[in-house]
Amino acid sequence: MDSEGVGLYSSVAKYSLSSREAWAVICYPPHMPCDLDRREAAIESLGVSYILSMGEARLDFVVPGLRVLGKGHSSVVVATLTDNGLRALKIRRLDSKRKSLVAEAKLLEEGSKVGATPKVYGYTNDAILMDYLGPLTLKRLFTEALADREAMIDAILGALRAARALDTVGVTHLELHRPYSNLVYPDRNNLKATLIIDLESWSRGCGNVTRLASFFISRFGLQVDSIRHQLRSYEDSCSSSEYLSIEKAIINDIANKESLNFGR
């Protein structure tokens, strides 16, 4: 867990599941039909005791000052307290086109077995309880424009290895060609430990390394002649040796560039 998450929950606002603030998250967006009792009971069955108001996304228009970890087109992610400590809870939005979160939860379980995705502690049709990873995403790393080249190389290496791990179980994250918010670094002191989140858009196959490598090639203006051919071959074979060759080529090219522009 990122140090920014350790101990922080003891000082932020926390709300019981029967509170107005928790209801605002459980039944989001407002003014839509919601079986609150059923949703609340399901979340409680996962071991959740409190909703925490923390994160970069705001729900001020629902409850002034209310914060969540993330808000997307199909779900809201909120920090929670359970008997076992701090966890993240992904809740299906009332207006989501997705009928259930069960398929994503099972994919996350597959990925977590190989160290590619956060650990899942339980799920229902409308919610997934998983590890809280902290706020450090690839986007935030680039925004901070870390001057430490070695740190950025570690972050890129960690991202590639997480993508490779997910490839080994045949799950392709279809948004890794724009991975700013889909790569999370739970420990700022160990950027090689990278996790992939939000498996809402996916397919079966071996396409994660290809998507992510293509992003880094474009992002940093890397030499592409040899890598492009390797990527095409890798996606077909999914072989470990071809992955290692791609990893080496990308990391060496980044290490040898005179300057790296981290700004978006």
Side-chain angles (χ1 to χ4, degrees):
M1 183 188 301
D2 189 285
S3 60
E4 294 178 54
V6 177
L8 180 60
Y9 59 86
S10 63
S11 60
V12 302
K14 65 179 183 180
Y15 304 103
S16 71
L17 295 184
S18 60
S19 67
R20 170 173 171 258
E21 289 81 3
W23 294 344
V25 179
I26 293 170
C27 288
Y28 182 87
H31 312 305
M32 293 192 67
C34 176
D35 188 342
L36 175 60
D37 290 340
R38 180 185 62 80
R39 282 193 160 214
E40 182 182 329
I43 290 172
E44 187 173 20
S45 74
L46 296 176
V48 174
S49 302
Y50 296 95
I51 299 291
L52 302 182
S53 180
M54 58 184 282
E56 297 184 354
R58 305 179 69 97
L59 296 183
D60 285 318
F61 70 98
V62 182
V63 177
L66 184 60
R67 292 178 174 270
V68 294
L69 301 176
K71 177 167 65 73
H73 295 298
S74 63
S75 62
V76 176
V77 182
V78 63
T80 68
L81 271 184
T82 72
D83 291 340
N84 295 308
L86 185 61
R87 298 283 187 263
L89 182 71
K90 185 169 193 171
I91 303 173
R92 188 174 66 89
R93 289 176 52 141
L94 297 175
D95 57 355
S96 172
K97 295 179 180 179
R98 302 171 69 196
K99 301 301 182 184
S100 172
L101 296 181
V102 170
E104 181 180 0
K106 291 181 177 180
L107 292 171
L108 289 170
E109 287 183 323
E110 284 188 63
S112 68
K113 291 177 182 178
V114 293
T117 58
K119 182 177 180 179
V120 172
Y121 295 94
Y123 55 86
T124 70
N125 281 331
D126 297 317
I128 306 173
L129 186 69
M130 65 190 101
D131 274 333
Y132 169 77
L133 303 181
L136 191 59
T137 61
L138 183 67
K139 177 181 179 180
R140 187 160 174 174
L141 277 178
F142 281 175
T143 300
E144 291 177 357
L146 295 179
D148 186 344
R149 181 185 293 256
E150 290 303 315
M152 284 309 306
I153 288 175
D154 283 350
I156 292 166
L157 187 59
L160 288 169
R161 289 178 178 176
R164 167 60 184 169
L166 199 56
D167 275 344
T168 65
V169 293
V171 176
T172 295
H173 191 308
L174 298 180
E175 300 297 323
L176 282 189
H177 63 291
R178 47 185 181 189
Y180 290 106
S181 299
N182 298 122
L183 297 172
V184 183
Y185 300 85
D187 184 354
R188 184 180 286 271
N189 296 315
N190 182 16
L191 296 177
K192 290 181 182 178
T194 311
L195 291 173
I196 298 170
I197 62 171
D198 291 337
L199 279 167
E200 297 179 5
S201 180
W202 65 280
S203 68
R204 287 293 178 182
C206 186
N208 296 299
V209 169
T210 300
R211 283 170 170 76
L212 192 57
S214 297
F215 165 78
F216 287 132
I217 288 169
S218 174
R219 189 67 181 68
F220 295 116
L222 305 182
Q223 299 297 318
V224 300
D225 293 342
S226 62
I227 302 176
R228 292 289 191 193
H229 173 73
Q230 290 175 323
L231 288 174
R232 286 193 292 270
S233 178
Y234 168 79
E235 191 160 4
D236 291 333
S237 69
C238 211
S239 79
S240 176
S241 60
E242 286 190 289
Y243 165 73
L244 290 173
S245 180
I246 292 166
E247 177 189 290
K248 181 179 179 180
I250 290 176
I251 295 302
N252 285 347
D253 202 357
I254 290 175
N256 292 325
K257 285 188 72 69
E258 290 186 6
S259 63
L260 293 174
N261 177 22
F262 297 119
R264 288 191 67 178

